Amino acid sequence: LVGRTFWDLPWWAGLPISAARVRQAVLDAATGRRVEFDAEYHASSSGEVTTRWVAFEAAPERDPAGAIVRVAVSGVD
């Protein structure tokens, strides 16, 4: 997972619509917009992959001067 973009991770493999929405959400958050939506993703447990839903959020984090310093992403299954 190291060195890969968040939308190119296994959770979104085979789910191009979810991957595209996640990518756009991260890009939007990098410009200052908070984004929330439900997205399909793949979960793996004991070698079995299932498709599930996550409440996804991407939000900008700012330094004391107001500059965006990172994007925080989270998901609640």
Side-chain angles (χ1 to χ4, degrees), residues 11-76:
W11 302 308
W12 323 112
L15 299 169
I17 293 172
S18 289
R21 291 183 74 199
V22 167
R23 178 183 183 276
Q24 191 60 53
V26 171
L27 295 173
D28 288 348
T31 66
R33 183 173 163 240
R34 181 182 178 145
V35 182
E36 298 177 60
F37 59 88
D38 291 336
E40 284 184 289
Y41 78 102
H42 288 147
S44 179
S45 177
S46 302
E48 182 178 330
V49 177
T50 58
T51 301
R52 299 174 63 156
W53 287 88
V54 62
F56 181 85
E57 178 183 338
E61 292 190 356
R62 300 178 184 273
D63 66 14
I68 298 169
V69 294
R70 73 180 134 253
V71 172
V73 295
S74 64
V76 178

Side-chain angles (χ1 to χ4, degrees), residues 1-2 4 9-10 14 27 30 32 36 60 70:
L1 303 178
V2 174
R4 295 172 69 182
L9 296 177
L27 295 173
E36 298 177 60
R70 73 180 134 253

